[in-house]
Amino acid sequence: MTVYNIYIFDKIGTCLFYKSWNAKKAAQSLSQDEEFKLMYGMIFSIKSFISRMSDTTSKDSFVGYRTSHYKLHYYESPTGVKVVLNTDVNVGKLQDTLQYIYKRIFVEYVTGNPQCKPDCWVDSELFVKTLSQYIESLNFFA
């Protein structure tokens, strides 16, 4: 089992952070900005489809999906920050892990950091180090 990558988006779809560990590169390479737009657009479309098909309007109605090659885990905070973690298909549900990343790492090292500007790329070394250490400590990280 393994972790491929993580994306963190703000409420309007700007990618605030991205890190890749074991992601396989596609044959057709996209620019990083195009990849961010595709990922956010896919999440937006899936959530929109779910809201049209569902009789509930809960933010928790979409928590991820699975393909034959990877599993996408999704968490949206009350402020609209979106955390997307792509893993191997054999990894279980990660809602608690994503909530921890948001509440204990992102909020503490980004939102609470006066040097981090809102809605801008996160380049805090302490945030990157803490997040990397946390993800690499997970029992399914390989």
Side-chain angles (χ1 to χ4, degrees):
M1 293 187 283
T2 190
V3 173
Y4 296 126
N5 52 36
I6 187 169
Y7 300 82
I8 300 177
F9 295 99
D10 69 6
K11 62 185 172 193
I12 61 169
T14 303
C15 189
L16 303 176
F17 182 78
Y18 171 81
K19 181 166 173 83
S20 175
W21 285 273
N22 299 304
K24 298 173 186 171
K25 279 290 186 194
Q28 178 187 16
S29 61
L30 300 170
S31 73
Q32 199 169 47
D33 191 47
E34 289 172 324
E35 180 182 341
F36 297 158
K37 288 176 183 178
L38 282 173
M39 178 59 73
Y40 185 80
M42 180 183 61
I43 297 294
F44 182 86
S45 297
I46 291 171
K47 286 182 57 186
S48 177
F49 179 76
I50 289 170
S51 71
R52 288 188 197 137
M53 299 301 289
S54 176
D55 56 353
T56 64
T57 57
S58 170
K59 276 191 175 187
D60 297 332
S61 58
F62 173 64
V63 295
Y65 66 83
R66 178 185 168 183
T67 73
S68 60
H69 296 356
Y70 71 96
K71 193 171 186 180
L72 181 141
H73 307 268
Y74 176 79
Y75 171 75
E76 184 172 346
S77 76
T79 60
V81 172
K82 296 152 186 71
V83 181
V84 178
L85 187 67
N86 290 305
T87 67
D88 180 79
V89 294
N90 297 315
V91 174
K93 293 183 179 182
L94 295 181
Q95 283 308 103
D96 292 341
T97 299
L98 297 179
Q99 282 183 329
Y100 183 89
I101 289 170
Y102 173 73
K103 291 178 180 177
R104 302 287 182 231
I105 301 174
F106 185 81
V107 170
E108 185 171 338
Y109 295 103
V110 176
T111 307
N113 183 346
Q115 293 180 333
C116 290
K117 296 177 182 152
D119 305 322
C120 291
W121 185 260
V122 177
D123 58 1
S124 164
E125 290 179 27
L126 190 54
F127 168 75
V128 173
K129 180 180 177 185
T130 304
L131 177 63
S132 294
Q133 285 176 339
Y134 176 71
I135 289 179
E136 292 168 14
S137 75
L138 297 171
N139 62 353
F140 52 83
F141 183 85

